[in-house]
Amino acid sequence: KREKIKSPAQEKIKKMSFRSNIGTTRTTRRYYRRNRCIAFSSSCIPFVLCFLMIFWMKNTPQTSVTSMGVVALGHIGVNGEIDIGDEAGADTTTLSTLESTVGSRRIPPTPPPDTSSSINNGEDEVASCDCRWGGGEEDAEGVSNSEGARLAYLITVHNKQSIDNAAYLFQSIRHPSTIILLHIDTKVSKDTYLSSALRDEVERCSCGASVHVDSVHNCQWGRWSMNGPTHWAMDVLTSDHRFRGKWDVFINLSGDTMPVYQPSVMSELFHPSTGPLRNTNFVTSSSCETGLLPTNVHIFPHWWHKWEHYNKNPDGDPVISYIDGNDGDAKEITMVTHFGSQWMALLPDFVEYVAKSLKNPNSLASRYRDFLINARKLMTDETFIPTLLVHAYPYNETLPVLKEDGSLDAMPSMKAIRYERMDEHVPSAFGYFNNQQRYEVPKSSEADEPKVWGPYFLGIYDLGDIVDSGALFIRKVSVNVDPNIVYMFPVSRESDIPYIRWPNELQISEKPNWERIKQEMMKKAKEEEEKKVKEKQ
């Protein structure tokens, strides 16, 4: 048996014992036993590693989600269970059977060295969630000790790029007291969501937030369908027993949005009793001509496209006949179109009014909706709810109260709830010319090129205007355009935002392409060599 041992150490011991004629003395046997253990351990290492590899593979998320098939959507509550919706055609299952295809990630406190990499890079995995705003295992029941408004968010995404951006947004608003509804446009393939970092964050790192995911509407630009996700969220929040009565403010956001302030600051601002933004419905953004108040269509010049589109009726503004839901009386009202924004912050009573009214075919909301659809009106996501809010009593008394300079009376630093840049391709309706540069999408970027009228991407040079607006949310941002602005937010106070503005004119160098430079240098050297050869001839 000893002759079969191939360990070099044992062969050395064996030769030493023969040379010294000691034979199998106690010393030799002791060395032999020790080195036999070493030999046995060395020979077992490959088998141990193989066993560990098999065990790791069986207990590690794989790149395909066979347990789900094609089902990707449902909701995840604070108890960590996934409930696949009926529309998806699946039974209830648990998070353990819905292994994600990518690992958990955290918002980097500073931009990484290679800013071209996105959050959706499967190689950039971390082992734990970054529940910096609260939550985690100690908050598994979703109980929050913080005081303030309970915020209910809707995040809408419509393609891969908005899904990738929404992962950063989700990380910035998740909190034990927060409800987050995620609507994925039906145009998006389920595989796109399944393989996204957003899905990973939702399932693994809700940080105590109550999250509901679904795919219901196919939104077509300019059509009434653009209202679908918002109205769906209103219905869920007011009729689903998991959410009804458990929130104080409804805020809808696009996936390419970032909050300016941390969740605790937002909750304090909207506090139902003491917050400066309490008891107020906000339905505009910084691009609205009348600031925090919806814009009456009749203040636009007659040549402006918004006035022309909504004033084609020779009889003037539409007169809507409806049945009052309070007293059951038949009534009429002239609905003067008001432009606002499709992104809003609304109170529960108004949200419930809209959700219930849209289920009643004779209500003011339903009759006005029918008029907009039959008249083939565009931009209804910017006019339906703002116009309804302006005309429906008593909700029209919850519009923002402004100072003479257009700032919010209760919070003078705020001139817009959302900051965005739009319609800068032409002078405004009132002759304002924007003379600032703006960010363009690099050719190598994965970001989608914005429409000619916007919204345009924001970056670090827009910080000064963001501060001046006092906005709570900014749009449009992407790590594939300027990751610095994404990594900067949210902050805890306004003074944390550096006041950086666009220079008078900015021109930057082209990104070096060393491979191209190398080829050009080699080509030039070759031409010079050929020239020398010809001269010698």
Side-chain angles (χ1 to χ4, degrees):
K1 292 182 181 178
R2 294 182 183 178
E3 293 297 332
K4 294 181 180 180
I5 297 176
K6 303 298 183 181
S7 169
Q10 294 176 18
E11 293 291 334
K12 184 177 180 180
I13 296 293
K14 180 180 177 182
K15 292 178 181 179
M16 288 175 59
S17 64
F18 286 129
R19 282 198 302 268
S20 59
N21 294 321
I22 296 176
T24 56
T25 61
R26 181 181 301 175
T27 303
T28 306
R29 288 196 299 270
R30 183 169 64 249
Y31 274 93
Y32 176 78
R33 285 195 300 268
R34 186 184 69 180
N35 286 276
R36 181 174 59 185
C37 293
I38 294 174
F40 177 76
S41 301
S42 301
S43 62
C44 287
I45 286 177
F47 297 99
V48 173
L49 291 176
C50 183
F51 174 78
L52 292 175
M53 181 65 70
I54 295 173
F55 179 83
W56 177 79
M57 291 176 66
K58 287 182 175 293
N59 292 274
T60 302
Q62 305 298 311
T63 55
S64 61
V65 190
T66 55
S67 61
M68 291 182 63
V70 296
V71 178
L73 309 175
H75 83 275
I76 175 172
V78 294
N79 58 357
E81 292 187 353
I82 301 287
D83 181 17
I84 302 300
D86 292 338
E87 289 118 349
D91 297 326
T92 301
T93 183
T94 60
L95 181 58
S96 61
T97 64
L98 300 179
E99 297 295 346
S100 182
T101 58
V102 287
S104 307
R105 292 162 181 80
R106 292 178 291 187
I107 302 175
T110 56
D114 181 11
T115 56
S116 63
S117 62
S118 69
I119 193 172
N120 201 30
N121 183 357
E123 299 177 356
D124 181 28
E125 297 186 1
V126 295
S128 61
C129 301
D130 182 8
C131 298
R132 63 179 68 183
W133 319 130
E137 294 181 359
E138 67 275 10
D139 294 305
E141 297 300 324
V143 178
S144 172
N145 295 323
S146 62
E147 296 182 357
R150 299 164 298 174
L151 305 180
Y153 287 100
L154 165 66
I155 301 176
T156 59
V157 294
H158 62 279
N159 58 16
K160 181 182 182 302
Q161 181 62 36
S162 60
I163 288 176
D164 292 344
N165 290 328
Y168 291 94
L169 171 59
F170 183 84
Q171 289 175 330
S172 301
I173 63 176
R174 60 188 177 192
H175 187 269
S177 65
T178 301
I179 296 171
I180 303 176
L181 307 183
L182 174 61
H183 182 273
I184 303 172
D185 197 291
T186 57
K187 292 190 295 291
V188 179
S189 68
K190 291 182 174 64
D191 289 340
T192 300
Y193 176 66
L194 279 171
S195 59
S196 69
L198 175 60
R199 181 231 180 171
D200 182 68
E201 293 293 335
V202 167
E203 294 184 1
R204 295 179 181 273
C205 298
S206 64
C207 296
S210 183
V211 182
H212 179 84
V213 182
D214 214 336
S215 180
V216 181
H217 296 279
N218 179 2
C219 300
Q220 301 294 328
W221 185 89
R223 305 291 181 86
W224 174 260
S225 58
M226 291 290 290
N227 294 277
T230 298
H231 297 171
W232 164 80
M234 289 179 166
D235 182 52
V236 171
L237 290 173
T238 56
S239 62
D240 193 312
H241 67 90
R242 294 168 297 173
F243 310 120
R244 180 177 174 82
K246 299 179 181 179
W247 54 277
D248 302 304
V249 181
F250 166 60
I251 302 172
N252 65 332
L253 305 170
S254 64
D256 50 19
T257 303
M258 281 294 287
V260 174
Y261 298 107
Q262 298 169 4
S264 59
V265 179
M266 294 288 194
S267 293
E268 292 176 5
L269 292 174
F270 285 102
H271 193 290
S273 301
T274 60
L277 307 183
R278 68 186 184 276
N279 303 327
T280 305
N281 285 300
F282 297 91
V283 292
T284 67
S285 66
S286 60
S287 61
C288 294
E289 286 80 356
T290 50
L292 287 165
L293 290 176
T295 306
N296 188 320
V297 70
H298 293 298
I299 76 170
F300 291 117
H302 290 190
W303 52 266
W304 191 246
H305 66 284
K306 292 181 179 179
W307 188 93
E308 288 184 335
H309 183 66
Y310 274 86
N311 285 278
K312 292 181 179 179
N313 186 358
D315 297 328
D317 297 313
V319 178
I320 305 299
S321 301
Y322 68 100
I323 304 299
D324 193 309
N326 294 322
D327 53 26
D329 293 341
K331 297 181 179 180
E332 289 186 346
I333 184 173
T334 301
M335 299 291 280
V336 179
T337 301
H338 282 71
F339 274 86
S341 171
Q342 68 186 104
W343 313 111
M344 316 163 198
L346 304 175
L347 299 172
D349 55 350
F350 181 64
V351 171
E352 186 166 12
Y353 163 75
V354 174
K356 286 186 175 180
S357 297
L358 289 175
K359 296 178 181 179
N360 178 3
N362 298 316
S363 68
L364 174 60
S366 292
R367 292 288 179 84
Y368 184 52
R369 172 200 60 198
D370 295 342
F371 162 78
L372 293 173
I373 294 175
N374 294 332
R376 299 179 180 275
K377 296 299 182 184
L378 302 177
M379 302 171 283
T380 57
D381 53 333
E382 299 177 9
T383 60
F384 175 68
I385 288 182
T387 302
L388 199 60
L389 178 62
V390 168
H391 292 86
Y393 177 83
Y395 310 107
N396 52 9
E397 296 184 347
T398 62
L399 288 164
V401 178
L402 308 184
K403 291 180 174 294
E404 292 184 1
D405 63 354
S407 62
L408 189 66
D409 184 67
M411 189 174 169
S413 62
M414 176 182 287
K415 294 182 175 63
I417 192 169
R418 286 171 177 78
Y419 179 81
E420 61 185 9
R421 295 182 64 176
M422 287 194 69
D423 298 323
E424 297 179 3
H425 61 302
V426 294
S428 72
F430 305 104
Y432 171 74
F433 293 83
N434 186 286
N435 58 6
Q436 285 187 346
Q437 292 179 265
R438 58 176 181 262
Y439 289 83
E440 293 186 352
V441 178
K443 294 180 180 179
S444 60
S445 174
E446 297 180 359
D448 299 322
E449 189 72 31
K451 292 180 172 62
V452 65
W453 55 82
Y456 313 110
F457 283 105
L458 305 177
I460 287 296
Y461 285 111
D462 294 301
L463 289 176
D465 289 329
I466 293 171
V467 172
D468 290 341
S469 71
L472 304 184
F473 301 93
I474 59 173
R475 175 179 182 259
K476 185 176 188 178
V477 296
S478 173
V479 291
N480 293 314
V481 178
D482 187 354
N484 300 295
I485 196 168
V486 177
Y487 300 145
M488 175 170 290
F489 292 108
V491 299
S492 60
R493 59 184 66 87
E494 184 183 281
S495 59
D496 292 338
I497 308 174
Y499 194 80
I500 301 175
R501 297 180 60 88
W502 282 92
N504 184 43
E505 185 175 9
L506 179 68
Q507 184 172 349
I508 61 176
S509 65
E510 182 181 353
K511 184 177 180 180
N513 185 333
W514 292 110
E515 183 62 28
R516 186 187 65 191
I517 294 173
K518 173 185 173 182
Q519 295 298 329
E520 291 176 352
M521 293 176 65
M522 292 176 64
K523 180 180 178 181
K524 184 178 180 180
K526 183 178 179 180
E527 291 174 350
E528 292 179 352
E529 186 67 23
E530 291 176 350
K531 183 179 179 180
K532 290 180 180 178
V533 172
K534 290 181 179 180
E535 290 177 352
K536 291 181 179 179
Q537 293 176 349

